[in-house]
Amino acid sequence: MKELIGASLKYQAGKLQVLDQYLLPHEEVWHVCRDVENMQSLINNLQVRGAPLIGLAATLLVAYLAEQEATREELREAIDALEATRPTAVNLKHCMDCLRHALQQDDFVGEIVFRAEQLFEEDVALCQRIAEHGVALVDASDNILTHCNTGALATAGIGTALGVIFTAAQKYGNIHVWVDETRPLLQGGRLTAYELERWQIPYTLLCDSMAATLMAAGKVDKIFVGADRIAANGDFANKVGTYNLAVLANYHNIPFYVVAPKTTFDAQCAHGGEIEIEQRNASEVTGVSGSFGACQWAPDRTSVFNPAFDVTPASLVTAWVFDSGIYNQPAFSSV
């Protein structure tokens, strides 16, 4: 497999390495991944995260195993096991389906490696096209609110929603970003803030519950979010808390944009009610942990509701930004 390098995933000198996003922003640790169990752990523990990146990390591991002379059956088992790690994000399923097709070919090793390289490079190109389309929705001096992390850490390229913001900042130089902390795992406070700081884009961090106050004060011009799965009717699943923002944006007449690659669109899913929502560990809500350590603030027997994602109805979306263009509600059926 040839050299492939992204912000948080790389294949160099025969080694597959992933940046530990759980330890960011204070520690930058790269893990070498050589087996399925290791990759499953990295994905489940959110050391590898972001819908596009999860799919690509799993794909590169299968390609690595193929080059290490894993049998056809071993590769089939690896693909099935990796797909089962995160059920909501459709990008992982898309990538694994591509590898299943490659596995049926006579030269399955060569075909898997080719598909892995192709998917990685395609994601870089998709991110670039998304940004080129999405920047048309941004005006100079905009104050943009975003949720979770949708930047280069979550993709092979410059990102989805955050990639649009990065491109707009390069174009205008005076974009400001409101960053939701993104409870319970703080992807906004840890990862989006980390990326914006590296890119030298002005930002302000806020608790998720403060967004309504900002909107009421007229301090939010637009909202850009990513997606983990978009249903055929335009409903979409994204990091929990996104639905809240969509309702608030609708009330305050603020444009609400969903930004994603075509690999996130699931034509086989009729509507948001069919999207499986992953339930996460209670400890993510009863306390907090990271490179800074860990603590628990809730009583030991606390009952917890902790869905990783919520579903936002299409009726609350101003437009969807794909690599193929911008689609408003009347045009979405042509995606």
mmCIF file of all heavy atoms in Angstrom, residues 86 88-89 228 237-241 276-278 307-311:
data_model
loop_
_atom_site.group_PDB
_atom_site.id
_atom_site.type_symbol
_atom_site.label_atom_id
_atom_site.label_comp_id
_atom_site.label_asym_id
_atom_site.label_seq_id
_atom_site.Cartn_x
_atom_site.Cartn_y
_atom_site.Cartn_z
ATOM 1 N N ARG A 86 -19.463 0.552 15.290
ATOM 2 C CA ARG A 86 -20.272 1.767 15.445
ATOM 3 C C ARG A 86 -21.452 1.690 14.472
ATOM 4 O O ARG A 86 -21.279 1.877 13.260
ATOM 5 C CB ARG A 86 -19.439 3.022 15.141
ATOM 6 C CG ARG A 86 -18.221 3.241 16.033
ATOM 7 C CD ARG A 86 -18.570 3.485 17.495
ATOM 8 N NE ARG A 86 -19.410 4.636 17.716
ATOM 9 C CZ ARG A 86 -18.964 5.889 17.877
ATOM 10 N NH1 ARG A 86 -17.667 6.137 17.810
ATOM 11 N NH2 ARG A 86 -19.801 6.883 18.114
ATOM 12 N N THR A 88 -24.236 3.609 13.929
ATOM 13 C CA THR A 88 -24.959 4.778 13.402
ATOM 14 C C THR A 88 -24.307 5.358 12.154
ATOM 15 O O THR A 88 -24.979 5.677 11.179
ATOM 16 C CB THR A 88 -25.094 5.857 14.489
ATOM 17 O OG1 THR A 88 -25.746 5.294 15.634
ATOM 18 C CG2 THR A 88 -25.916 7.035 13.978
ATOM 19 N N ALA A 89 -23.006 5.517 12.182
ATOM 20 C CA ALA A 89 -22.301 6.154 11.063
ATOM 21 C C ALA A 89 -22.294 5.239 9.834
ATOM 22 O O ALA A 89 -21.747 4.142 9.879
ATOM 23 C CB ALA A 89 -20.869 6.493 11.468
ATOM 24 N N ASP A 228 -23.639 11.950 10.550
ATOM 25 C CA ASP A 228 -23.140 10.579 10.558
ATOM 26 C C ASP A 228 -23.952 9.670 9.648
ATOM 27 O O ASP A 228 -23.459 8.639 9.202
ATOM 28 C CB ASP A 228 -23.155 10.027 11.984
ATOM 29 C CG ASP A 228 -22.074 10.648 12.842
ATOM 30 O OD1 ASP A 228 -22.278 11.761 13.343
ATOM 31 O OD2 ASP A 228 -21.010 10.026 12.986
ATOM 32 N N ALA A 237 -28.798 11.928 11.282
ATOM 33 C CA ALA A 237 -28.259 11.681 12.620
ATOM 34 C C ALA A 237 -26.915 12.376 12.743
ATOM 35 O O ALA A 237 -26.093 12.344 11.823
ATOM 36 C CB ALA A 237 -28.089 10.179 12.854
ATOM 37 N N ASN A 238 -26.726 13.024 13.874
ATOM 38 C CA ASN A 238 -25.441 13.659 14.170
ATOM 39 C C ASN A 238 -25.234 13.619 15.680
ATOM 40 O O ASN A 238 -26.099 13.156 16.430
ATOM 41 C CB ASN A 238 -25.419 15.105 13.656
ATOM 42 C CG ASN A 238 -24.017 15.693 13.641
ATOM 43 O OD1 ASN A 238 -23.068 15.051 13.176
ATOM 44 N ND2 ASN A 238 -23.867 16.900 14.144
ATOM 45 N N LYS A 239 -24.089 14.074 16.124
ATOM 46 C CA LYS A 239 -23.782 14.055 17.554
ATOM 47 C C LYS A 239 -24.944 14.627 18.358
ATOM 48 O O LYS A 239 -25.527 15.644 17.986
ATOM 49 C CB LYS A 239 -22.508 14.862 17.815
ATOM 50 C CG LYS A 239 -22.084 14.923 19.268
ATOM 51 C CD LYS A 239 -21.936 13.558 19.910
ATOM 52 C CE LYS A 239 -20.945 12.668 19.206
ATOM 53 N NZ LYS A 239 -20.868 11.315 19.812
ATOM 54 N N VAL A 240 -25.292 13.961 19.444
ATOM 55 C CA VAL A 240 -26.428 14.376 20.257
ATOM 56 C C VAL A 240 -26.271 15.850 20.666
ATOM 57 O O VAL A 240 -25.186 16.300 21.023
ATOM 58 C CB VAL A 240 -26.578 13.452 21.487
ATOM 59 C CG1 VAL A 240 -25.425 13.645 22.476
ATOM 60 C CG2 VAL A 240 -27.922 13.639 22.152
ATOM 61 N N GLY A 241 -27.369 16.582 20.568
ATOM 62 C CA GLY A 241 -27.340 18.023 20.790
ATOM 63 C C GLY A 241 -27.572 18.794 19.511
ATOM 64 O O GLY A 241 -27.916 19.983 19.539
ATOM 65 N N GLU A 276 -30.387 3.524 13.478
ATOM 66 C CA GLU A 276 -30.055 2.937 14.771
ATOM 67 C C GLU A 276 -29.174 3.907 15.556
ATOM 68 O O GLU A 276 -28.145 4.360 15.054
ATOM 69 C CB GLU A 276 -29.325 1.609 14.584
ATOM 70 C CG GLU A 276 -28.946 0.921 15.886
ATOM 71 C CD GLU A 276 -28.196 -0.378 15.666
ATOM 72 O OE1 GLU A 276 -28.055 -0.800 14.508
ATOM 73 O OE2 GLU A 276 -27.752 -0.969 16.677
ATOM 74 N N ILE A 277 -29.595 4.225 16.766
ATOM 75 C CA ILE A 277 -28.851 5.166 17.593
ATOM 76 C C ILE A 277 -28.077 4.414 18.668
ATOM 77 O O ILE A 277 -28.643 3.685 19.482
ATOM 78 C CB ILE A 277 -29.790 6.194 18.257
ATOM 79 C CG1 ILE A 277 -30.555 6.987 17.178
ATOM 80 C CG2 ILE A 277 -29.002 7.134 19.156
ATOM 81 C CD1 ILE A 277 -29.686 7.788 16.249
ATOM 82 N N GLU A 278 -26.784 4.598 18.650
ATOM 83 C CA GLU A 278 -25.898 3.925 19.596
ATOM 84 C C GLU A 278 -26.068 4.492 21.008
ATOM 85 O O GLU A 278 -26.084 5.709 21.199
ATOM 86 C CB GLU A 278 -24.454 4.112 19.134
ATOM 87 C CG GLU A 278 -23.392 3.587 20.065
ATOM 88 C CD GLU A 278 -21.990 3.979 19.624
ATOM 89 O OE1 GLU A 278 -21.845 4.556 18.520
ATOM 90 O OE2 GLU A 278 -21.042 3.708 20.387
ATOM 91 N N PRO A 307 -27.617 8.531 24.634
ATOM 92 C CA PRO A 307 -27.507 8.259 23.196
ATOM 93 C C PRO A 307 -26.352 9.062 22.598
ATOM 94 O O PRO A 307 -26.173 10.239 22.931
ATOM 95 C CB PRO A 307 -28.861 8.741 22.654
ATOM 96 C CG PRO A 307 -29.264 9.827 23.595
ATOM 97 C CD PRO A 307 -28.753 9.410 24.954
ATOM 98 N N ALA A 308 -25.579 8.446 21.750
ATOM 99 C CA ALA A 308 -24.450 9.142 21.141
ATOM 100 C C ALA A 308 -24.893 10.145 20.085
ATOM 101 O O ALA A 308 -24.185 11.112 19.796
ATOM 102 C CB ALA A 308 -23.494 8.130 20.517
ATOM 103 N N PHE A 309 -26.081 9.922 19.517
ATOM 104 C CA PHE A 309 -26.558 10.751 18.416
ATOM 105 C C PHE A 309 -28.032 11.090 18.619
ATOM 106 O O PHE A 309 -28.737 10.429 19.387
ATOM 107 C CB PHE A 309 -26.413 10.010 17.078
ATOM 108 C CG PHE A 309 -25.027 9.482 16.824
ATOM 109 C CD1 PHE A 309 -24.680 8.194 17.210
ATOM 110 C CD2 PHE A 309 -24.065 10.265 16.215
ATOM 111 C CE1 PHE A 309 -23.404 7.694 16.997
ATOM 112 C CE2 PHE A 309 -22.787 9.779 15.994
ATOM 113 C CZ PHE A 309 -22.448 8.497 16.383
ATOM 114 N N ASP A 310 -28.494 12.133 17.949
ATOM 115 C CA ASP A 310 -29.922 12.367 17.831
ATOM 116 C C ASP A 310 -30.262 12.568 16.357
ATOM 117 O O ASP A 310 -29.369 12.692 15.506
ATOM 118 C CB ASP A 310 -30.409 13.539 18.696
ATOM 119 C CG ASP A 310 -29.671 14.851 18.451
ATOM 120 O OD1 ASP A 310 -29.124 15.046 17.349
ATOM 121 O OD2 ASP A 310 -29.661 15.688 19.368
ATOM 122 N N VAL A 311 -31.546 12.554 16.049
ATOM 123 C CA VAL A 311 -31.996 12.674 14.665
ATOM 124 C C VAL A 311 -32.727 13.999 14.485
ATOM 125 O O VAL A 311 -33.653 14.318 15.236
ATOM 126 C CB VAL A 311 -32.924 11.504 14.272
ATOM 127 C CG1 VAL A 311 -33.495 11.719 12.867
ATOM 128 C CG2 VAL A 311 -32.159 10.185 14.338
#
